Amino acid sequence: MDGTLFQTNKILEISLKETFDHLRMLNLWEKETPIEKYREIMGVPLPVVWETLLPDHKNIVREQANDFFHEKLITHINEGNGALYPHVVEVFNLLKNNGCSIFIASNGQIEYLQAIVRHYHLDRWVTETFSIQQIQSQNKGDLVQTIVKKYTIEKGAVIGDRLSDINAAKSNGLMAIGCNFDFAQEDELAQADIKIDSLLELRMIVEKLSCKA
């Protein structure tokens, strides 16, 4: 979802700033908002996010910060401050017309993902949305494996912008398509089977996948 379908950067910085302003108000933070640090670790499970951003704080503070952060994210989504990446709708139509089933596998929280799906009516194309919260291991490879088993998928691809997406594809015998978008890192994308700079490039890839619903 983040950095592949949804332009998280449009609401990320303001939501993170609001969260750390809240922490400052509670006298729990004095430094600058660690926006760059968050950008570096985009794609990791949420517990790792807050352990990294708040390394010297107790878990209860991290949990409260995460809850506040997600409230702000969802508010901005509902207010229309975010956006899908260019050509998402066009590509989704293309995939569905070619008999492909579409799933979202994300490290995002369930309520956050549901807000995006609802606001942009993604359920018109997406068969099911899966959150890392649904599996105990907090590993995206295991999350994708859940989808593969549930829907008996024999051929397909994982399309994403971070190493966790690429590894999830390879651990499940799927094609890894790396998106060179906002949060992508070159050394991670180098490990993908294919790198794309625009979702429109999926046009040529779809035929090779020979997807079946």
Side-chain angles (χ1 to χ4, degrees):
M1 180 71 88
D2 296 313
T4 302
L5 299 175
F6 183 67
Q7 296 187 57
T8 320
N9 57 310
K10 289 186 176 293
I11 63 171
L12 172 67
E13 293 190 9
I14 187 170
S15 298
L16 201 63
K17 183 180 182 302
E18 289 169 338
T19 301
F20 277 85
D21 283 345
H22 179 67
L23 292 174
R24 290 186 189 94
M25 185 180 67
L26 298 175
N27 294 317
L28 293 172
W29 189 261
E30 296 179 352
K31 305 174 186 176
E32 294 182 357
T33 301
I35 292 174
E36 288 305 317
K37 177 58 68 176
Y38 191 85
R39 284 179 171 272
E40 291 174 11
I41 61 174
M42 276 291 293
V44 302
L46 286 168
V48 179
V49 167
W50 293 104
E51 287 170 9
T52 304
L53 298 184
L54 299 173
D56 301 321
H57 292 69
K58 295 181 179 179
N59 281 334
I60 189 170
V61 175
R62 294 171 182 164
E63 292 170 2
Q64 290 171 349
N66 179 63
D67 291 343
F68 188 91
F69 178 59
H70 275 81
E71 287 176 10
K72 292 301 179 182
L73 286 173
I74 291 172
T75 296
H76 286 298
I77 291 166
N78 292 335
E79 291 178 351
N81 296 327
L84 298 177
Y85 275 96
H87 312 301
V88 167
V89 172
E90 183 179 348
V91 168
F92 272 6
N93 280 325
L94 171 72
L95 291 172
K96 293 296 285 188
N97 290 338
N98 278 273
C100 297
S101 296
I102 303 170
F103 306 92
I104 293 174
S106 174
N107 283 338
Q109 292 188 175
I110 295 171
E111 296 81 1
Y112 166 74
L113 298 173
Q114 289 176 338
I116 298 173
V117 170
R118 183 171 57 249
H119 187 81
Y120 296 100
H121 308 290
L122 296 183
D123 52 1
R124 290 176 288 176
W125 305 278
V126 176
T127 301
E128 189 171 352
T129 298
F130 293 80
S131 165
I132 202 75
Q133 283 182 305
Q134 296 171 247
I135 58 169
Q136 188 173 0
S137 70
Q138 296 284 291
N139 180 283
K140 186 170 278 190
D142 294 340
L143 183 62
V144 171
Q145 185 181 62
T146 299
I147 302 172
V148 168
K149 288 183 177 180
K150 180 174 181 178
Y151 288 92
T152 320
I153 297 170
E154 297 180 354
K155 179 182 286 188
V158 176
I159 305 166
D161 64 322
R162 299 309 302 264
L163 186 59
S164 60
D165 304 305
I166 296 167
N167 288 340
K170 294 187 174 183
S171 65
N172 286 283
L174 305 173
M175 180 183 292
I177 301 177
C179 298
N180 189 22
F181 297 170
D182 294 297
F183 300 108
Q185 296 186 15
E186 192 60 38
D187 59 330
E188 295 183 357
L189 292 180
Q191 300 181 53
D193 297 313
I194 298 174
K195 184 179 76 172
I196 61 175
D197 297 308
S198 167
L199 290 174
L200 281 181
E201 294 177 49
L202 290 174
R203 284 178 177 275
M204 295 182 290
I205 300 171
V206 169
E207 297 179 0
K208 295 181 181 179
L209 291 179
S210 301
C211 296
K212 295 181 181 180

